[in-house]
Amino acid sequence: FPVTIELNGRVFEIACSGNFQICDHPMVEVYFGGSIPYVIPDKWLDRIDYYLTHEKEAKLLAQAARCTVLVKHTYKNRAEQILQEIGL
């Protein structure tokens, strides 16, 4: 079996709800591009401060992440991927 690195399901749930988030898991960039900012541990406070003072940017990122979930990461998408993987 190939090694996979999965994001916590909450990342997708928060994005689907249209709320802003930052994440410390590098795979967030693979799944969401730049719409969910990836943060290394020693930069959390800087990023939090930044987005608290750039609320419009945070809202735009949240909207983009929601669109990504609705287009690419629904249960329907996952079911189609599984069916494709097993050849159905």
Side-chain angles (χ1 to χ4, degrees):
F1 291 94
V3 175
T4 60
I5 301 172
E6 299 297 329
L7 287 175
N8 185 306
R10 294 220 186 258
V11 173
F12 296 93
E13 293 168 358
I14 292 167
C16 191
S17 70
N19 288 291
F20 177 74
Q21 63 184 310
I22 57 177
C23 184
D24 62 353
H25 196 301
M27 288 302 290
V28 77
E29 292 180 334
V30 173
Y31 287 104
F32 290 94
S35 63
I36 297 177
Y38 166 67
V39 181
I40 59 174
D42 56 337
K43 297 294 181 184
W44 273 98
L45 294 178
D46 293 338
R47 280 295 180 100
I48 290 169
D49 286 342
Y50 175 83
Y51 287 111
L52 286 173
T53 59
H54 294 84
E55 290 182 42
K56 185 175 182 179
E57 184 178 348
K59 286 180 183 181
L60 291 172
L61 289 171
Q63 291 171 354
R66 184 172 191 275
C67 288
T68 299
V69 166
L70 295 176
V71 171
K72 297 180 179 179
H73 303 298
T74 63
Y75 285 114
K76 181 178 186 283
N77 297 127
R78 292 294 178 261
E80 289 170 352
Q81 289 171 345
I82 291 168
L83 292 172
Q84 185 178 9
E85 286 291 323
I86 62 173
L88 296 176

mmCIF file of all heavy atoms in Angstrom, residues 24-75:
data_model
loop_
_atom_site.group_PDB
_atom_site.id
_atom_site.type_symbol
_atom_site.label_atom_id
_atom_site.label_comp_id
_atom_site.label_asym_id
_atom_site.label_seq_id
_atom_site.Cartn_x
_atom_site.Cartn_y
_atom_site.Cartn_z
ATOM 1 N N ASP A 24 -0.912 23.608 10.645
ATOM 2 C CA ASP A 24 0.508 23.280 10.771
ATOM 3 C C ASP A 24 0.871 21.984 10.045
ATOM 4 O O ASP A 24 1.952 21.447 10.233
ATOM 5 C CB ASP A 24 0.914 23.194 12.233
ATOM 6 C CG ASP A 24 0.190 22.099 13.002
ATOM 7 O OD1 ASP A 24 -0.736 21.476 12.437
ATOM 8 O OD2 ASP A 24 0.535 21.879 14.177
ATOM 9 N N HIS A 25 -0.022 21.489 9.203
ATOM 10 C CA HIS A 25 0.248 20.259 8.448
ATOM 11 C C HIS A 25 0.570 20.643 7.001
ATOM 12 O O HIS A 25 -0.241 21.263 6.323
ATOM 13 C CB HIS A 25 -0.969 19.344 8.489
ATOM 14 C CG HIS A 25 -0.663 17.941 8.077
ATOM 15 N ND1 HIS A 25 -0.148 17.618 6.844
ATOM 16 C CD2 HIS A 25 -0.794 16.775 8.751
ATOM 17 C CE1 HIS A 25 0.017 16.309 6.771
ATOM 18 N NE2 HIS A 25 -0.360 15.781 7.921
ATOM 19 N N PRO A 26 1.751 20.274 6.499
ATOM 20 C CA PRO A 26 2.158 20.699 5.152
ATOM 21 C C PRO A 26 1.241 20.209 4.026
ATOM 22 O O PRO A 26 1.177 20.837 2.969
ATOM 23 C CB PRO A 26 3.569 20.149 4.999
ATOM 24 C CG PRO A 26 3.712 19.096 6.049
ATOM 25 C CD PRO A 26 2.777 19.449 7.145
ATOM 26 N N MET A 27 0.496 19.133 4.255
ATOM 27 C CA MET A 27 -0.391 18.631 3.197
ATOM 28 C C MET A 27 -1.547 19.579 2.909
ATOM 29 O O MET A 27 -2.211 19.463 1.894
ATOM 30 C CB MET A 27 -0.932 17.248 3.558
ATOM 31 C CG MET A 27 0.105 16.147 3.466
ATOM 32 S SD MET A 27 0.857 15.986 1.824
ATOM 33 C CE MET A 27 -0.517 15.347 0.889
ATOM 34 N N VAL A 28 -1.777 20.533 3.797
ATOM 35 C CA VAL A 28 -2.846 21.495 3.550
ATOM 36 C C VAL A 28 -2.589 22.255 2.241
ATOM 37 O O VAL A 28 -3.524 22.607 1.525
ATOM 38 C CB VAL A 28 -3.025 22.448 4.754
ATOM 39 C CG1 VAL A 28 -1.955 23.510 4.818
ATOM 40 C CG2 VAL A 28 -4.392 23.100 4.712
ATOM 41 N N GLU A 29 -1.327 22.455 1.910
ATOM 42 C CA GLU A 29 -1.000 23.155 0.660
ATOM 43 C C GLU A 29 -1.335 22.290 -0.553
ATOM 44 O O GLU A 29 -1.742 22.803 -1.591
ATOM 45 C CB GLU A 29 0.466 23.563 0.651
ATOM 46 C CG GLU A 29 0.767 24.634 1.684
ATOM 47 C CD GLU A 29 2.218 25.070 1.708
ATOM 48 O OE1 GLU A 29 3.097 24.272 1.321
ATOM 49 O OE2 GLU A 29 2.452 26.207 2.114
ATOM 50 N N VAL A 30 -1.185 20.982 -0.425
ATOM 51 C CA VAL A 30 -1.511 20.073 -1.519
ATOM 52 C C VAL A 30 -3.017 20.075 -1.769
ATOM 53 O O VAL A 30 -3.467 20.152 -2.909
ATOM 54 C CB VAL A 30 -1.021 18.639 -1.209
ATOM 55 C CG1 VAL A 30 -1.504 17.655 -2.255
ATOM 56 C CG2 VAL A 30 0.501 18.616 -1.097
ATOM 57 N N TYR A 31 -3.797 20.006 -0.697
ATOM 58 C CA TYR A 31 -5.240 19.923 -0.830
ATOM 59 C C TYR A 31 -5.910 21.275 -1.081
ATOM 60 O O TYR A 31 -6.945 21.334 -1.741
ATOM 61 C CB TYR A 31 -5.864 19.300 0.428
ATOM 62 C CG TYR A 31 -5.618 17.820 0.552
ATOM 63 C CD1 TYR A 31 -4.684 17.322 1.442
ATOM 64 C CD2 TYR A 31 -6.328 16.924 -0.225
ATOM 65 C CE1 TYR A 31 -4.459 15.962 1.558
ATOM 66 C CE2 TYR A 31 -6.113 15.558 -0.119
ATOM 67 C CZ TYR A 31 -5.182 15.090 0.776
ATOM 68 O OH TYR A 31 -4.961 13.742 0.880
ATOM 69 N N PHE A 32 -5.350 22.352 -0.553
ATOM 70 C CA PHE A 32 -6.023 23.643 -0.602
ATOM 71 C C PHE A 32 -5.212 24.766 -1.240
ATOM 72 O O PHE A 32 -5.670 25.905 -1.263
ATOM 73 C CB PHE A 32 -6.429 24.082 0.813
ATOM 74 C CG PHE A 32 -7.534 23.257 1.387
ATOM 75 C CD1 PHE A 32 -7.255 22.168 2.193
ATOM 76 C CD2 PHE A 32 -8.855 23.561 1.121
ATOM 77 C CE1 PHE A 32 -8.267 21.398 2.722
ATOM 78 C CE2 PHE A 32 -9.880 22.797 1.643
ATOM 79 C CZ PHE A 32 -9.585 21.715 2.445
ATOM 80 N N GLY A 33 -4.035 24.464 -1.765
ATOM 81 C CA GLY A 33 -3.224 25.547 -2.317
ATOM 82 C C GLY A 33 -2.921 26.549 -1.214
ATOM 83 O O GLY A 33 -2.597 26.167 -0.106
ATOM 84 N N GLY A 34 -3.086 27.789 -1.492
ATOM 85 C CA GLY A 34 -2.815 28.813 -0.492
ATOM 86 C C GLY A 34 -4.032 29.293 0.258
ATOM 87 O O GLY A 34 -3.945 30.246 1.030
ATOM 88 N N SER A 35 -5.177 28.646 0.068
ATOM 89 C CA SER A 35 -6.391 29.156 0.712
ATOM 90 C C SER A 35 -6.469 28.833 2.201
ATOM 91 O O SER A 35 -7.250 29.443 2.923
ATOM 92 C CB SER A 35 -7.644 28.646 -0.005
ATOM 93 O OG SER A 35 -7.751 27.247 0.073
ATOM 94 N N ILE A 36 -5.681 27.881 2.667
ATOM 95 C CA ILE A 36 -5.513 27.649 4.105
ATOM 96 C C ILE A 36 -4.020 27.789 4.370
ATOM 97 O O ILE A 36 -3.224 26.946 3.960
ATOM 98 C CB ILE A 36 -6.007 26.253 4.537
ATOM 99 C CG1 ILE A 36 -7.500 26.116 4.276
ATOM 100 C CG2 ILE A 36 -5.693 26.024 6.023
ATOM 101 C CD1 ILE A 36 -8.064 24.748 4.611
ATOM 102 N N PRO A 37 -3.628 28.873 5.009
ATOM 103 C CA PRO A 37 -2.204 29.105 5.228
ATOM 104 C C PRO A 37 -1.554 28.022 6.083
ATOM 105 O O PRO A 37 -2.073 27.627 7.120
ATOM 106 C CB PRO A 37 -2.166 30.449 5.955
ATOM 107 C CG PRO A 37 -3.455 31.114 5.575
ATOM 108 C CD PRO A 37 -4.454 30.007 5.448
ATOM 109 N N TYR A 38 -0.409 27.541 5.595
ATOM 110 C CA TYR A 38 0.423 26.591 6.331
ATOM 111 C C TYR A 38 1.380 27.386 7.206
ATOM 112 O O TYR A 38 2.011 28.335 6.756
ATOM 113 C CB TYR A 38 1.203 25.719 5.346
ATOM 114 C CG TYR A 38 2.324 24.934 5.978
ATOM 115 C CD1 TYR A 38 2.055 23.924 6.883
ATOM 116 C CD2 TYR A 38 3.648 25.209 5.676
ATOM 117 C CE1 TYR A 38 3.074 23.197 7.470
ATOM 118 C CE2 TYR A 38 4.680 24.489 6.250
ATOM 119 C CZ TYR A 38 4.385 23.490 7.151
ATOM 120 O OH TYR A 38 5.400 22.780 7.719
ATOM 121 N N VAL A 39 1.468 27.000 8.485
ATOM 122 C CA VAL A 39 2.290 27.733 9.436
ATOM 123 C C VAL A 39 3.232 26.770 10.159
ATOM 124 O O VAL A 39 2.798 25.742 10.666
ATOM 125 C CB VAL A 39 1.395 28.438 10.485
ATOM 126 C CG1 VAL A 39 2.236 29.215 11.466
ATOM 127 C CG2 VAL A 39 0.395 29.350 9.815
ATOM 128 N N ILE A 40 4.499 27.123 10.190
ATOM 129 C CA ILE A 40 5.445 26.336 10.980
ATOM 130 C C ILE A 40 5.279 26.719 12.458
ATOM 131 O O ILE A 40 4.861 27.838 12.771
ATOM 132 C CB ILE A 40 6.902 26.507 10.503
ATOM 133 C CG1 ILE A 40 7.334 27.964 10.566
ATOM 134 C CG2 ILE A 40 7.076 25.960 9.091
ATOM 135 C CD1 ILE A 40 8.794 28.195 10.263
ATOM 136 N N PRO A 41 5.576 25.796 13.360
ATOM 137 C CA PRO A 41 5.265 26.021 14.778
ATOM 138 C C PRO A 41 5.759 27.333 15.375
ATOM 139 O O PRO A 41 5.030 27.979 16.116
ATOM 140 C CB PRO A 41 5.923 24.820 15.470
ATOM 141 C CG PRO A 41 5.877 23.739 14.440
ATOM 142 C CD PRO A 41 6.108 24.449 13.119
ATOM 143 N N ASP A 42 6.950 27.760 15.054
ATOM 144 C CA ASP A 42 7.448 28.979 15.703
ATOM 145 C C ASP A 42 6.935 30.264 15.053
ATOM 146 O O ASP A 42 7.334 31.357 15.449
ATOM 147 C CB ASP A 42 8.976 28.972 15.784
ATOM 148 C CG ASP A 42 9.665 28.797 14.455
ATOM 149 O OD1 ASP A 42 9.040 28.252 13.529
ATOM 150 O OD2 ASP A 42 10.841 29.191 14.340
ATOM 151 N N LYS A 43 6.026 30.165 14.100
ATOM 152 C CA LYS A 43 5.455 31.352 13.448
ATOM 153 C C LYS A 43 3.965 31.530 13.721
ATOM 154 O O LYS A 43 3.315 32.396 13.145
ATOM 155 C CB LYS A 43 5.682 31.280 11.927
ATOM 156 C CG LYS A 43 7.136 31.295 11.516
ATOM 157 C CD LYS A 43 7.775 32.617 11.855
ATOM 158 C CE LYS A 43 9.228 32.621 11.417
ATOM 159 N NZ LYS A 43 9.911 33.837 11.798
ATOM 160 N N TRP A 44 3.387 30.684 14.604
ATOM 161 C CA TRP A 44 1.955 30.765 14.888
ATOM 162 C C TRP A 44 1.526 32.163 15.317
ATOM 163 O O TRP A 44 0.567 32.712 14.782
ATOM 164 C CB TRP A 44 1.565 29.770 15.983
ATOM 165 C CG TRP A 44 1.248 28.420 15.461
ATOM 166 C CD1 TRP A 44 2.085 27.354 15.418
ATOM 167 C CD2 TRP A 44 0.019 27.971 14.879
ATOM 168 N NE1 TRP A 44 1.452 26.269 14.854
ATOM 169 C CE2 TRP A 44 0.180 26.624 14.521
ATOM 170 C CE3 TRP A 44 -1.199 28.588 14.635
ATOM 171 C CZ2 TRP A 44 -0.828 25.884 13.931
ATOM 172 C CZ3 TRP A 44 -2.217 27.844 14.046
ATOM 173 C CH2 TRP A 44 -2.022 26.512 13.703
ATOM 174 N N LEU A 45 2.191 32.721 16.298
ATOM 175 C CA LEU A 45 1.767 34.019 16.820
ATOM 176 C C LEU A 45 1.858 35.110 15.767
ATOM 177 O O LEU A 45 0.968 35.964 15.675
ATOM 178 C CB LEU A 45 2.579 34.390 18.058
ATOM 179 C CG LEU A 45 2.356 33.489 19.274
ATOM 180 C CD1 LEU A 45 3.240 33.920 20.429
ATOM 181 C CD2 LEU A 45 0.897 33.466 19.683
ATOM 182 N N ASP A 46 2.913 35.082 14.956
ATOM 183 C CA ASP A 46 3.034 36.071 13.884
ATOM 184 C C ASP A 46 1.877 35.964 12.901
ATOM 185 O O ASP A 46 1.299 36.969 12.491
ATOM 186 C CB ASP A 46 4.355 35.894 13.122
ATOM 187 C CG ASP A 46 5.570 36.218 13.968
ATOM 188 O OD1 ASP A 46 5.424 36.959 14.968
ATOM 189 O OD2 ASP A 46 6.663 35.727 13.634
ATOM 190 N N ARG A 47 1.528 34.732 12.499
ATOM 191 C CA ARG A 47 0.431 34.531 11.551
ATOM 192 C C ARG A 47 -0.913 34.925 12.143
ATOM 193 O O ARG A 47 -1.749 35.522 11.478
ATOM 194 C CB ARG A 47 0.375 33.089 11.073
ATOM 195 C CG ARG A 47 1.361 32.761 9.989
ATOM 196 C CD ARG A 47 1.015 33.561 8.708
ATOM 197 N NE ARG A 47 1.942 33.262 7.665
ATOM 198 C CZ ARG A 47 1.711 32.421 6.677
ATOM 199 N NH1 ARG A 47 0.559 31.814 6.561
ATOM 200 N NH2 ARG A 47 2.646 32.201 5.779
ATOM 201 N N ILE A 48 -1.127 34.575 13.399
ATOM 202 C CA ILE A 48 -2.377 34.946 14.050
ATOM 203 C C ILE A 48 -2.505 36.460 14.096
ATOM 204 O O ILE A 48 -3.546 37.020 13.736
ATOM 205 C CB ILE A 48 -2.462 34.334 15.463
ATOM 206 C CG1 ILE A 48 -2.633 32.815 15.352
ATOM 207 C CG2 ILE A 48 -3.610 34.953 16.262
ATOM 208 C CD1 ILE A 48 -2.455 32.071 16.666
ATOM 209 N N ASP A 49 -1.451 37.137 14.515
ATOM 210 C CA ASP A 49 -1.468 38.604 14.542
ATOM 211 C C ASP A 49 -1.726 39.180 13.162
ATOM 212 O O ASP A 49 -2.497 40.133 13.009
ATOM 213 C CB ASP A 49 -0.141 39.150 15.083
ATOM 214 C CG ASP A 49 0.003 38.975 16.582
ATOM 215 O OD1 ASP A 49 -1.026 38.755 17.265
ATOM 216 O OD2 ASP A 49 1.150 39.043 17.071
ATOM 217 N N TYR A 50 -1.092 38.602 12.157
ATOM 218 C CA TYR A 50 -1.254 39.109 10.789
ATOM 219 C C TYR A 50 -2.719 39.036 10.361
ATOM 220 O O TYR A 50 -3.292 40.014 9.885
ATOM 221 C CB TYR A 50 -0.379 38.312 9.812
ATOM 222 C CG TYR A 50 -0.602 38.732 8.386
ATOM 223 C CD1 TYR A 50 0.059 39.839 7.859
ATOM 224 C CD2 TYR A 50 -1.496 38.053 7.572
ATOM 225 C CE1 TYR A 50 -0.168 40.254 6.549
ATOM 226 C CE2 TYR A 50 -1.728 38.449 6.261
ATOM 227 C CZ TYR A 50 -1.060 39.558 5.755
ATOM 228 O OH TYR A 50 -1.297 39.961 4.469
ATOM 229 N N TYR A 51 -3.335 37.869 10.513
ATOM 230 C CA TYR A 51 -4.706 37.714 10.031
ATOM 231 C C TYR A 51 -5.725 38.440 10.897
ATOM 232 O O TYR A 51 -6.799 38.795 10.415
ATOM 233 C CB TYR A 51 -5.056 36.239 9.840
ATOM 234 C CG TYR A 51 -4.358 35.685 8.620
ATOM 235 C CD1 TYR A 51 -3.334 34.761 8.733
ATOM 236 C CD2 TYR A 51 -4.699 36.123 7.337
ATOM 237 C CE1 TYR A 51 -2.681 34.278 7.610
ATOM 238 C CE2 TYR A 51 -4.051 35.648 6.216
ATOM 239 C CZ TYR A 51 -3.042 34.725 6.359
ATOM 240 O OH TYR A 51 -2.398 34.266 5.242
ATOM 241 N N LEU A 52 -5.405 38.698 12.146
ATOM 242 C CA LEU A 52 -6.288 39.520 12.969
ATOM 243 C C LEU A 52 -6.326 40.960 12.477
ATOM 244 O O LEU A 52 -7.318 41.657 12.653
ATOM 245 C CB LEU A 52 -5.864 39.477 14.440
ATOM 246 C CG LEU A 52 -6.189 38.185 15.180
ATOM 247 C CD1 LEU A 52 -5.571 38.202 16.578
ATOM 248 C CD2 LEU A 52 -7.698 37.962 15.262
ATOM 249 N N THR A 53 -5.259 41.392 11.854
ATOM 250 C CA THR A 53 -5.212 42.762 11.320
ATOM 251 C C THR A 53 -5.483 42.812 9.818
ATOM 252 O O THR A 53 -5.491 43.891 9.238
ATOM 253 C CB THR A 53 -3.855 43.424 11.622
ATOM 254 O OG1 THR A 53 -2.814 42.649 11.034
ATOM 255 C CG2 THR A 53 -3.636 43.553 13.124
ATOM 256 N N HIS A 54 -5.704 41.670 9.198
ATOM 257 C CA HIS A 54 -6.021 41.588 7.769
ATOM 258 C C HIS A 54 -7.264 40.708 7.590
ATOM 259 O O HIS A 54 -7.230 39.679 6.926
ATOM 260 C CB HIS A 54 -4.835 41.018 6.986
ATOM 261 C CG HIS A 54 -3.637 41.905 6.997
ATOM 262 N ND1 HIS A 54 -2.725 41.898 8.025
ATOM 263 C CD2 HIS A 54 -3.217 42.833 6.111
ATOM 264 C CE1 HIS A 54 -1.776 42.790 7.770
ATOM 265 N NE2 HIS A 54 -2.052 43.375 6.617
ATOM 266 N N GLU A 55 -8.354 41.155 8.204
ATOM 267 C CA GLU A 55 -9.577 40.357 8.223
ATOM 268 C C GLU A 55 -10.156 40.119 6.835
ATOM 269 O O GLU A 55 -10.684 39.040 6.563
ATOM 270 C CB GLU A 55 -10.621 41.026 9.113
ATOM 271 C CG GLU A 55 -10.279 40.975 10.586
ATOM 272 C CD GLU A 55 -11.354 41.599 11.448
ATOM 273 O OE1 GLU A 55 -12.539 41.356 11.182
ATOM 274 O OE2 GLU A 55 -10.980 42.335 12.376
ATOM 275 N N LYS A 56 -10.061 41.099 5.966
ATOM 276 C CA LYS A 56 -10.608 40.936 4.615
ATOM 277 C C LYS A 56 -9.883 39.806 3.885
ATOM 278 O O LYS A 56 -10.504 38.970 3.226
ATOM 279 C CB LYS A 56 -10.502 42.233 3.828
ATOM 280 C CG LYS A 56 -11.158 42.177 2.482
ATOM 281 C CD LYS A 56 -11.134 43.524 1.780
ATOM 282 C CE LYS A 56 -11.848 43.414 0.445
ATOM 283 N NZ LYS A 56 -11.860 44.697 -0.264
ATOM 284 N N GLU A 57 -8.568 39.768 4.013
ATOM 285 C CA GLU A 57 -7.787 38.702 3.397
ATOM 286 C C GLU A 57 -8.171 37.335 3.973
ATOM 287 O O GLU A 57 -8.320 36.359 3.239
ATOM 288 C CB GLU A 57 -6.295 38.955 3.591
ATOM 289 C CG GLU A 57 -5.415 37.944 2.907
ATOM 290 C CD GLU A 57 -3.934 38.230 3.076
ATOM 291 O OE1 GLU A 57 -3.555 39.325 3.527
ATOM 292 O OE2 GLU A 57 -3.145 37.325 2.759
ATOM 293 N N ALA A 58 -8.354 37.275 5.285
ATOM 294 C CA ALA A 58 -8.757 36.023 5.932
ATOM 295 C C ALA A 58 -10.114 35.559 5.415
ATOM 296 O O ALA A 58 -10.307 34.366 5.141
ATOM 297 C CB ALA A 58 -8.791 36.202 7.449
ATOM 298 N N LYS A 59 -11.050 36.482 5.236
ATOM 299 C CA LYS A 59 -12.377 36.118 4.719
ATOM 300 C C LYS A 59 -12.294 35.612 3.288
ATOM 301 O O LYS A 59 -12.971 34.654 2.916
ATOM 302 C CB LYS A 59 -13.326 37.307 4.807
ATOM 303 C CG LYS A 59 -13.772 37.591 6.221
ATOM 304 C CD LYS A 59 -14.710 38.782 6.295
ATOM 305 C CE LYS A 59 -15.060 39.057 7.742
ATOM 306 N NZ LYS A 59 -15.981 40.179 7.891
ATOM 307 N N LEU A 60 -11.461 36.246 2.479
ATOM 308 C CA LEU A 60 -11.288 35.789 1.092
ATOM 309 C C LEU A 60 -10.663 34.392 1.043
ATOM 310 O O LEU A 60 -11.068 33.556 0.232
ATOM 311 C CB LEU A 60 -10.444 36.785 0.299
ATOM 312 C CG LEU A 60 -11.104 38.129 0.008
ATOM 313 C CD1 LEU A 60 -10.097 39.094 -0.620
ATOM 314 C CD2 LEU A 60 -12.316 37.947 -0.899
ATOM 315 N N LEU A 61 -9.697 34.134 1.906
ATOM 316 C CA LEU A 61 -9.092 32.803 1.967
ATOM 317 C C LEU A 61 -10.113 31.763 2.420
ATOM 318 O O LEU A 61 -10.164 30.657 1.869
ATOM 319 C CB LEU A 61 -7.882 32.809 2.909
ATOM 320 C CG LEU A 61 -6.655 33.550 2.404
ATOM 321 C CD1 LEU A 61 -5.614 33.676 3.511
ATOM 322 C CD2 LEU A 61 -6.068 32.861 1.188
ATOM 323 N N ALA A 62 -10.935 32.115 3.397
ATOM 324 C CA ALA A 62 -11.966 31.191 3.873
ATOM 325 C C ALA A 62 -12.950 30.857 2.752
ATOM 326 O O ALA A 62 -13.344 29.696 2.588
ATOM 327 C CB ALA A 62 -12.702 31.789 5.073
ATOM 328 N N GLN A 63 -13.340 31.856 1.971
ATOM 329 C CA GLN A 63 -14.241 31.624 0.839
ATOM 330 C C GLN A 63 -13.593 30.717 -0.199
ATOM 331 O O GLN A 63 -14.234 29.817 -0.741
ATOM 332 C CB GLN A 63 -14.655 32.947 0.197
ATOM 333 C CG GLN A 63 -15.564 33.781 1.060
ATOM 334 C CD GLN A 63 -15.776 35.185 0.489
ATOM 335 O OE1 GLN A 63 -15.157 35.588 -0.490
ATOM 336 N NE2 GLN A 63 -16.652 35.934 1.130
ATOM 337 N N ALA A 64 -12.326 30.944 -0.474
ATOM 338 C CA ALA A 64 -11.609 30.115 -1.452
ATOM 339 C C ALA A 64 -11.488 28.672 -0.968
ATOM 340 O O ALA A 64 -11.665 27.726 -1.744
ATOM 341 C CB ALA A 64 -10.225 30.712 -1.726
ATOM 342 N N ALA A 65 -11.209 28.483 0.316
ATOM 343 C CA ALA A 65 -11.106 27.132 0.874
ATOM 344 C C ALA A 65 -12.458 26.431 0.802
ATOM 345 O O ALA A 65 -12.535 25.241 0.477
ATOM 346 C CB ALA A 65 -10.605 27.188 2.318
ATOM 347 N N ARG A 66 -13.538 27.160 1.062
ATOM 348 C CA ARG A 66 -14.877 26.567 0.977
ATOM 349 C C ARG A 66 -15.171 26.110 -0.450
ATOM 350 O O ARG A 66 -15.678 25.011 -0.675
ATOM 351 C CB ARG A 66 -15.935 27.560 1.446
ATOM 352 C CG ARG A 66 -17.331 26.956 1.462
ATOM 353 C CD ARG A 66 -18.342 27.903 2.114
ATOM 354 N NE ARG A 66 -19.590 27.203 2.348
ATOM 355 C CZ ARG A 66 -20.555 27.066 1.444
ATOM 356 N NH1 ARG A 66 -20.412 27.596 0.234
ATOM 357 N NH2 ARG A 66 -21.666 26.415 1.739
ATOM 358 N N CYS A 67 -14.844 26.949 -1.418
ATOM 359 C CA CYS A 67 -15.040 26.567 -2.821
ATOM 360 C C CYS A 67 -14.241 25.318 -3.167
ATOM 361 O O CYS A 67 -14.742 24.435 -3.867
ATOM 362 C CB CYS A 67 -14.655 27.718 -3.737
ATOM 363 S SG CYS A 67 -15.814 29.091 -3.708
ATOM 364 N N THR A 68 -13.016 25.233 -2.679
ATOM 365 C CA THR A 68 -12.181 24.064 -2.936
ATOM 366 C C THR A 68 -12.829 22.807 -2.378
ATOM 367 O O THR A 68 -12.873 21.773 -3.050
ATOM 368 C CB THR A 68 -10.774 24.253 -2.332
ATOM 369 O OG1 THR A 68 -10.159 25.384 -2.951
ATOM 370 C CG2 THR A 68 -9.902 23.035 -2.540
ATOM 371 N N VAL A 69 -13.347 22.877 -1.161
ATOM 372 C CA VAL A 69 -14.012 21.714 -0.568
ATOM 373 C C VAL A 69 -15.221 21.310 -1.402
ATOM 374 O O VAL A 69 -15.412 20.135 -1.707
ATOM 375 C CB VAL A 69 -14.450 21.999 0.887
ATOM 376 C CG1 VAL A 69 -15.424 20.944 1.381
ATOM 377 C CG2 VAL A 69 -13.255 22.035 1.802
ATOM 378 N N LEU A 70 -16.034 22.269 -1.780
ATOM 379 C CA LEU A 70 -17.266 21.955 -2.504
ATOM 380 C C LEU A 70 -16.998 21.385 -3.894
ATOM 381 O O LEU A 70 -17.787 20.590 -4.398
ATOM 382 C CB LEU A 70 -18.158 23.191 -2.590
ATOM 383 C CG LEU A 70 -18.695 23.690 -1.243
ATOM 384 C CD1 LEU A 70 -19.485 24.976 -1.428
ATOM 385 C CD2 LEU A 70 -19.534 22.623 -0.555
ATOM 386 N N VAL A 71 -15.881 21.744 -4.489
ATOM 387 C CA VAL A 71 -15.547 21.252 -5.826
ATOM 388 C C VAL A 71 -14.755 19.944 -5.780
ATOM 389 O O VAL A 71 -14.981 19.053 -6.598
ATOM 390 C CB VAL A 71 -14.762 22.328 -6.613
ATOM 391 C CG1 VAL A 71 -14.210 21.781 -7.905
ATOM 392 C CG2 VAL A 71 -15.653 23.535 -6.886
ATOM 393 N N LYS A 72 -13.856 19.801 -4.807
ATOM 394 C CA LYS A 72 -12.913 18.680 -4.831
ATOM 395 C C LYS A 72 -12.999 17.691 -3.674
ATOM 396 O O LYS A 72 -12.454 16.595 -3.770
ATOM 397 C CB LYS A 72 -11.475 19.217 -4.845
ATOM 398 C CG LYS A 72 -11.128 20.016 -6.058
ATOM 399 C CD LYS A 72 -9.698 20.492 -5.985
ATOM 400 C CE LYS A 72 -9.308 21.284 -7.210
ATOM 401 N NZ LYS A 72 -7.916 21.751 -7.119
ATOM 402 N N HIS A 73 -13.613 18.054 -2.570
ATOM 403 C CA HIS A 73 -13.474 17.242 -1.359
ATOM 404 C C HIS A 73 -14.806 16.892 -0.693
ATOM 405 O O HIS A 73 -14.893 16.857 0.539
ATOM 406 C CB HIS A 73 -12.557 17.944 -0.357
ATOM 407 C CG HIS A 73 -11.209 18.259 -0.901
ATOM 408 N ND1 HIS A 73 -10.330 17.284 -1.336
ATOM 409 C CD2 HIS A 73 -10.592 19.448 -1.127
ATOM 410 C CE1 HIS A 73 -9.224 17.865 -1.785
ATOM 411 N NE2 HIS A 73 -9.360 19.162 -1.671
ATOM 412 N N THR A 74 -15.821 16.595 -1.472
ATOM 413 C CA THR A 74 -17.095 16.165 -0.906
ATOM 414 C C THR A 74 -17.109 14.646 -0.767
ATOM 415 O O THR A 74 -16.244 13.949 -1.305
ATOM 416 C CB THR A 74 -18.265 16.598 -1.801
ATOM 417 O OG1 THR A 74 -18.130 15.949 -3.069
ATOM 418 C CG2 THR A 74 -18.298 18.116 -1.982
ATOM 419 N N TYR A 75 -18.093 14.124 -0.077
ATOM 420 C CA TYR A 75 -18.234 12.662 0.023
ATOM 421 C C TYR A 75 -18.431 12.061 -1.363
ATOM 422 O O TYR A 75 -17.937 10.973 -1.648
ATOM 423 C CB TYR A 75 -19.400 12.281 0.943
ATOM 424 C CG TYR A 75 -19.078 12.482 2.402
ATOM 425 C CD1 TYR A 75 -19.744 13.445 3.151
ATOM 426 C CD2 TYR A 75 -18.108 11.709 3.033
ATOM 427 C CE1 TYR A 75 -19.449 13.627 4.495
ATOM 428 C CE2 TYR A 75 -17.801 11.891 4.371
ATOM 429 C CZ TYR A 75 -18.482 12.854 5.089
ATOM 430 O OH TYR A 75 -18.177 13.029 6.413
#
